[in-house]
Amino acid sequence: MEIGNLAPAAPEQKQIKPAGGAADKERAAVKKVAQEFEALFVTMMLKSMRSTVGQDQLTGGGRGEETFRSLLDQEYANAAVRGGGIGLAPVLERELMRQRTTVKGDSNAD
């Protein structure tokens, strides 16, 4: 008696392609916009918080420092959003997608 491979034959695996490549592109675009908005919001929060703190006497302030601080705040905000953010982007994304489907549903009814 010969014992062969006891493992069941693996079913042929098919790669499932998502239906509607346009929908995926739209979702990616909405996600990007939501993340950009969250980054802008965080940048504005950082700017507001920074305005409550006195100027650093060591560097003396000036236009160059203002520009640097602004750019640094933007980078902090972008890094925060890439790391998960404050939770605003997913909420915006979900709401924008809901509104898009509602608008498309209304236009299909006519």
Side-chain angles (χ1 to χ4, degrees):
M1 175 182 216
E2 190 173 312
I3 299 177
N5 187 1
L6 296 177
E12 187 177 316
Q13 295 200 3
K14 297 178 183 177
Q15 201 164 25
I16 300 172
K17 294 183 181 179
D24 291 338
K25 287 181 183 178
E26 183 177 337
R27 180 171 290 281
V30 167
K31 182 176 184 172
K32 183 179 181 207
V33 168
Q35 288 177 338
E36 288 174 355
F37 181 83
E38 182 175 14
L40 178 66
F41 182 77
V42 172
T43 300
M44 292 174 68
M45 280 186 2
L46 288 172
K47 183 178 178 182
S48 294
M49 287 189 290
R50 218 176 267 292
S51 70
T52 65
V53 179
Q55 279 193 342
D56 185 12
Q57 298 301 320
L58 179 65
T59 58
R63 192 72 173 140
E65 187 174 340
E66 287 177 27
T67 302
F68 172 75
R69 292 271 185 214
S70 173
L71 293 172
L72 185 62
D73 287 345
Q74 286 177 354
E75 285 305 310
Y76 283 157
N78 289 334
V81 170
R82 283 191 303 268
I86 59 174
L88 185 59
V91 173
L92 286 171
E93 181 183 350
R94 200 169 38 249
E95 183 62 24
L96 288 171
M97 288 305 292
R98 186 185 66 77
Q99 287 180 2
R100 299 272 307 159
T101 56
T102 302
V103 169
K104 284 183 180 180
D106 289 346
S107 65
N108 288 341
D110 292 337

